[in-house]
Amino acid sequence: MSVKVQKKPSQFRNLFFIRRRPVLRGISTDWERPDEATYQQMLEWDGFVSPKIWEQHDPAKHPVIAQDMRDLDQHLLPTFYQFSQRAKYYQNRYYLYQWVFILGAFLTTLFGTLTTYVYNPFTAAAEQSAAAAAVTQPDIAATAEVGDGDVTLEDAPFTAQAGGGNTWTRIFGYLTALVGAVTAFFTALSNRGEPQKRWAKNRRLTEELRMQYFKYLAHLPPYDTNERVQKLRETVIDARIKEQENVS
């Protein structure tokens, strides 16, 4: 009897670059309600009560629940999905900045190392000598009278200087500067926009609204009075105010 050995799951799929790939085409910050079939499917995926459960029952027999679901669909769910959409947007921005930072740091180190590796001091000295030899003989023989004596160009420093290093040194040097500048720019954007904090804040508010959704259906405080719809509106407005506040 053979025993089948179960293979250990590969850890490669759990790497940051595999599981946290940003959407390069971008994610919108605004949420628009889709068609009704898609919307009902979204409600099921998010664990909400979908009107589909009434397909085999008479909604008229449960008027309170039917009214509660209409209230939630009108006042709470649009804000819930708006916050969820913004959380996805800032999550994607955070992952994108991390990708740029990691790749930028790697490429900056790589190009900097290659710049040092291909630099040849003997080639640089030869280029400088060639530049010095490029000065024509008539120019060297030229003199300029200053006072009682003659001063030749041999007494003054050369004005023609050779380029530093060889061609590959300059190329890798430019690439190092370019990648470093791009990385610094995206790092500044990340520090200024604080996408990680905004992602966490919108996700937290989203889950708070999810909790309020079920409290409203269960008629728990503060939704156990005749003014429960007004309380629901105040809860949603308060969540929107918190979302507009500065990230703490």
Side-chain angles (χ1 to χ4, degrees), residues 6-244:
Q6 186 176 5
K7 294 183 179 180
K8 185 178 179 180
S10 175
Q11 297 299 322
F12 179 76
R13 296 182 179 180
N14 295 327
L15 294 178
F16 176 82
F17 281 90
I18 302 300
R19 300 189 54 141
R20 298 296 183 260
R21 290 175 293 177
V23 180
L24 299 180
R25 59 181 174 84
I27 296 178
S28 175
T29 57
D30 298 325
W31 177 79
E32 296 182 359
R33 181 164 175 159
D35 60 87
E36 191 61 24
T38 304
Y39 180 70
Q40 296 303 325
Q41 192 173 36
M42 290 174 58
L43 292 178
E44 293 185 9
W45 285 346
D46 288 315
F48 294 130
V49 179
S50 172
K52 286 186 176 182
I53 65 175
W54 304 111
E55 289 181 352
Q56 298 178 358
H57 302 276
D58 184 8
K61 295 181 180 180
H62 308 278
V64 176
I65 297 179
Q67 182 60 47
D68 288 348
M69 293 177 62
R70 285 194 294 268
D71 294 340
L72 291 167
D73 186 72
Q74 179 181 357
H75 300 294
L76 186 141
L77 288 177
T79 302
F80 171 88
Y81 283 111
Q82 180 68 65
F83 287 167
S84 179
Q85 182 70 20
R86 290 178 182 173
K88 294 175 183 178
Y89 169 78
Y90 287 115
Q91 179 188 39
N92 187 70
R93 285 187 62 182
Y94 172 71
Y95 288 155
L96 176 62
Y97 290 157
Q98 292 302 305
W99 267 54
V100 173
F101 177 76
I102 293 174
L103 289 176
F106 170 76
L107 292 177
T108 301
T109 304
L110 176 63
F111 290 143
T113 303
L114 291 175
T115 301
T116 305
Y117 178 78
V118 300
Y119 177 73
N120 190 332
F122 298 102
T123 303
E127 290 184 358
Q128 187 169 359
S129 299
V135 180
T136 60
Q137 187 65 28
D139 291 336
I140 296 178
T143 58
E145 290 189 3
V146 179
D148 296 333
D150 294 338
V151 179
T152 65
L153 290 179
E154 294 177 351
D155 299 322
F158 284 112
T159 58
Q161 298 294 333
N166 55 32
T167 303
W168 283 110
T169 302
R170 290 192 293 271
I171 291 176
F172 286 129
Y174 294 148
L175 289 175
T176 302
L178 177 62
V179 174
V182 172
T183 304
F185 174 74
F186 276 91
T187 302
L189 286 180
S190 178
N191 294 334
R192 182 178 180 181
E194 297 183 320
Q196 185 180 20
K197 289 185 178 180
R198 294 181 184 274
W199 162 29
K201 184 174 186 178
N202 279 275
R203 180 53 58 192
R204 174 175 59 82
L205 292 174
T206 301
E207 297 309 317
E208 287 182 2
L209 289 180
R210 184 193 301 274
M211 178 182 65
Q212 300 299 328
Y213 176 94
F214 290 103
K215 288 178 67 175
Y216 191 85
L217 282 179
H219 290 234
L220 295 176
Y223 310 116
D224 56 347
T225 65
N226 293 332
E227 299 179 350
R228 53 199 310 268
V229 177
Q230 181 62 30
K231 292 291 184 181
L232 179 64
R233 292 174 180 172
E234 293 175 357
T235 298
V236 174
I237 293 174
D238 182 63
R240 287 189 173 275
I241 293 175
K242 290 181 181 179
E243 196 271 336
Q244 293 297 327

